[in-house]
Every structure is written in structure tokens, then in C-alpha cells.
Amino acid sequence: MITALYDLLAPAKLNLFLHVIGRRADGYHLLQSVFRLIDWCDTLHLELRRNGQISRSDLGPALPADDLCLRAARALQTASGTPLGVHISIDKKVPWGAGLGGGSSDAATTLIGLNRLWRLDWSREQLATLALQLGADVPFFVGGRNAWVEGIGEKLTPIELPGAAYAVVKPEVAIPTAAIFSSPLLSRDTSPAIVADFLADTKSFGKNDLQRSAQAHSAEVSQALSLLEHHVGASRMSGSGSAVFACAGLAPGASAKSEGWQQVLATLPQTWTARWCHGLDDHPLSGWSKD
Ligand SMILES: C[C@](O)(CO)[C@H](O)COP(=O)(O)OP(=O)(O)OC[C@H]1O[C@@H](n2ccc(N)nc2=O)[C@H](O)[C@@H]1O
Ligand SMILES: Nc1ncnc2c1ncn2[C@@H]1O[C@H](COP(=O)(O)OP(=O)(O)OP(=O)(O)O)[C@@H](O)[C@H]1O
């Protein structure tokens, strides 16, 4: 029997564009977006606890006491009825309040890992249904493929994307997603698009409808957009911010040694984070779930 799983990667995502096309009766927004996995990852370790207890320790920065990994583990334990428990250690590298989906990805990696550790043999679809109760972004990370995303984030169509490098900057400010969705500045009536519209221009299709509200929430978002725009190229926010990115070109041509990126690193405020990322095709654990 497996008793521990080490070094499970939980990758972040970028929203290459994000349109708000409507709102549901319960207040959740109907979106269209393309989610791209990137190689900026948290690392999780899962150790079996036969007494059924679920616990966590933080190897990096401290997380909220009741973080998404614990909530994911408890939800799976209850839904499956397993008598087993787990100790989860997290090395947090992806900044939160960033629109990079770090917490959602941790939750998805927990579900995928525990499905194996607890020998549940749930299908990916079953895991995704449970994932949606944890957050709108979690099913995407369980799906494990770059996707055209609709609904509130749960309708996923896998999509092939070219290899690409992204310059990503996270200002100091952390932006709470709910505040951006409830902003009076938010427009909720962008016309629906179809996948072919995006595929015709994967680098610059569409916009991020949440960007205006986030810029009003914090001037740092506008500063970060300008910094990238000036040194790298067309920039855009991911999710509800505050992280912004610029597609630096198709890999492997684009290089972190480029003068533009070196300028970004040299002029970045000390409290901000910047990272040169590559687009991934799959979640590193995507082979673990049954389709
Ligand atoms: C903006 C995105 O990051 C795009 O990837 C996501 O849609 C947000 O997903 P998430 O962080 O998993 O969001 P959740 O934790 O489910 O929701 C946080 C809050 O955002 C708002 N929310 C979220 C998703 C959505 N489609 N409509 C919403 O209105 C709701 O007020 C909700 O209470
Ligand atoms: N494992 C976790 N990692 C990071 N944040 C977590 C975690 N669990 C709970 N949270 C809470 O969730 C909030 C949002 O975290 P998360 O990183 O998912 O959001 P985000 O970066 O805005 O991404 P997105 O909105 O795209 O999902 C944080 O402010 C934090 O308090």
C-alpha cells in the first residue's frame, strides 16, 4: 500500500482572456475564458494517516488555518466514506490574491493525490463534480488540460495551445475575487464568442473584463500593466488580478535573458514578484485520473 506521495506539483494558470457574458440568479457570473497552465507551481506532500485525521503543515508561507487543501481533503473523505486520513505539507510558491488560481490548484492536486493514496479509484468526472463545490476554478485543475472555459468555470473544452513564454508580474497588493465581481464598474454583457474566434488569434484575442474594476481597486495593477507593456509587449491581467502578464513569444525563441525582461527585473518594486513562465500542455498529474 502507498503510504506517502512526495513532490506533487500544483501549477498556476493564466486566463489568456476573460469575458463576462452574463450573471446567474445566484449571483455567480457566466464567463468565457481560455485557461492556460503554466510552470509556476506549489509543491504538496501527502502522508497517509490511518487514524482518519486530516492535518496540514506549511513548508513555505503560512496559509489560512482552514485552507482549500484541508477543505478538499475533508470533502473527499466525507463523500467517499473512507476511514483514512492524511497529513498535507505545502510548499507555497504561487502568490495568492493573484488571479493565478494557486489555491484552486492546491485543492485539485489534493483531490487527485488522495484519490490515489486512499485507493478510491474515482473518475476524473466524479472528482470534478466535487471540485466545483470548492471553487469555480477547481474543476479546471482536476481536468488537467488547457481549456476553453464557460459557465461559471465548470464547462471545460480541452484546447491545444502553442508553446509560449509569459512574463508575469504580481504587484504587492492581493485582490479578493468577490470584490471585483461585485464592482459597479464591471460590465457583464460581452457578446459570446466561439472557440474559432480565439484560435484565429491566440496571442491577442479578446480582453479581461475584470481588469477595469481591478485597476480601480488598486493603482498597482495599472503600474504593473504599464511596466510589462513598456519592456515586453501587450499586457493583460489574469483572472481577478492582481497578477498581469505579457506573452513574450512562442517558445523556445523567447528568452528570459531578453533585455526587456532584464529591465523589468531591474525596475520592479522590491515587494513585487516577477517570474518568467512557460505554458504547459497538461497538469503534471494528469495521467493519474481515469477519463
Ligand atoms: C476569476 C477567476 O479566477 C477566473 O479564472 C475565477 O472565476 C474565480 O474562481 P475562484 O477563485 O475559484 O472563485 P470562487 O472561490 O468560486 O468564488 C469567489 C467569489 O467570486 C465570485 N464569482 C466567482 C466565479 C464566477 N464565475 N462568478 C462569480 O461571481 C463570487 O462572488 C464568489 O463568491
Ligand atoms: N492553499 C491555498 N493557497 C492560497 N490561498 C488559499 C489557499 N487556501 C485558501 N486560500 C485563500 O483563498 C484566497 C484566494 O486564493 P487563490 O490563490 O486561489 O486566489 P487567486 O490567486 O485570486 O486565484 P483565482 O481567483 O484565479 O482562483 C486567498 O486569499 C487565501 O486566503
Side-chain angles (χ1 to χ4, degrees):
M1 180 167 199
I2 310 172
T3 56
L5 296 170
Y6 294 106
D7 298 336
L8 307 184
L9 294 176
K13 55 88 176 159
L14 294 175
N15 295 93
L16 298 189
F17 78 95
L18 195 162
H19 292 169
V20 180
I21 63 168
R23 198 174 196 182
R24 290 197 322 200
D26 65 0
Y28 264 79
H29 290 76
L30 295 170
L31 311 176
Q32 284 193 321
S33 185
V34 164
F35 283 39
R36 165 133 234 188
L37 295 161
I38 54 172
D39 63 350
W40 194 351
C41 303
D42 295 333
T43 308
L44 274 62
H45 312 300
L46 307 181
E47 286 170 60
L48 193 67
R49 294 191 69 175
R50 291 180 201 280
N51 62 5
Q53 286 185 0
I54 292 176
S55 53
R56 193 195 82 225
S57 54
D58 301 327
L59 305 176
L63 285 167
D66 189 29
D67 94 303
L68 272 162
C69 293
L70 288 185
R71 276 150 52 195
R74 276 194 225 109
L76 187 62
Q77 190 187 49
T78 304
S80 68
T82 181
L84 300 172
V86 66
H87 181 76
I88 306 170
S89 313
I90 308 183
D91 192 359
K92 192 79 197 160
K93 292 280 195 279
V94 176
W96 55 82
L100 298 172
S104 308
S105 186
D106 294 346
T109 292
T110 301
L111 292 177
I112 296 167
L114 287 181
N115 192 32
R116 173 168 278 208
L117 193 66
W118 290 344
R119 295 187 167 200
L120 302 177
D121 212 23
W122 277 30
S123 68
R124 194 189 297 266
E125 208 171 71
Q126 282 175 294
L127 289 177
T129 303
L130 186 68
L132 186 59
Q133 296 168 23
L134 297 163
D137 278 352
V138 189
F140 160 72
F141 290 104
V142 167
R145 304 269 311 275
N146 296 320
W148 171 265
V149 178
E150 296 179 290
I152 63 163
E154 84 291 11
K155 291 186 187 155
L156 304 165
T157 308
I159 190 172
E160 298 285 331
L161 294 173
Y166 300 94
V168 185
V169 170
K170 157 71 175 53
E172 185 177 14
V173 65
I175 298 190
T177 305
I180 297 307
F181 275 111
S182 60
S183 163
L185 292 175
L186 181 62
S187 65
R188 303 178 168 92
D189 57 358
T190 297
S191 302
I194 55 171
V195 188
D197 297 336
F198 168 77
L199 290 176
D201 182 10
T202 56
K203 205 171 157 190
S204 48
F205 172 80
K207 58 194 185 325
N208 183 337
D209 283 332
L210 305 182
Q211 196 168 301
R212 197 156 67 107
S213 319
Q215 285 178 281
H217 186 277
S218 169
E220 288 190 359
V221 174
S222 303
Q223 287 165 22
L225 287 164
S226 302
L227 182 70
L228 281 182
E229 198 94 36
H230 189 66
H231 294 297
V232 182
S235 61
R236 189 173 282 180
M237 195 176 78
S238 181
S240 50
S242 63
V244 305
F245 67 97
C247 179
L250 300 185
S255 164
K257 293 189 180 127
S258 71
E259 201 179 315
W261 183 240
Q262 295 308 314
Q263 283 296 323
V264 169
L265 296 179
T267 47
L268 196 76
Q270 270 188 354
T271 51
W272 294 18
T273 314
R275 193 176 158 105
W276 184 265
C277 297
H278 295 98
L280 300 174
D281 292 333
D282 296 308
H283 188 294
L285 302 180
S286 62
W288 281 18
S289 292
K290 286 193 302 178
D291 283 311

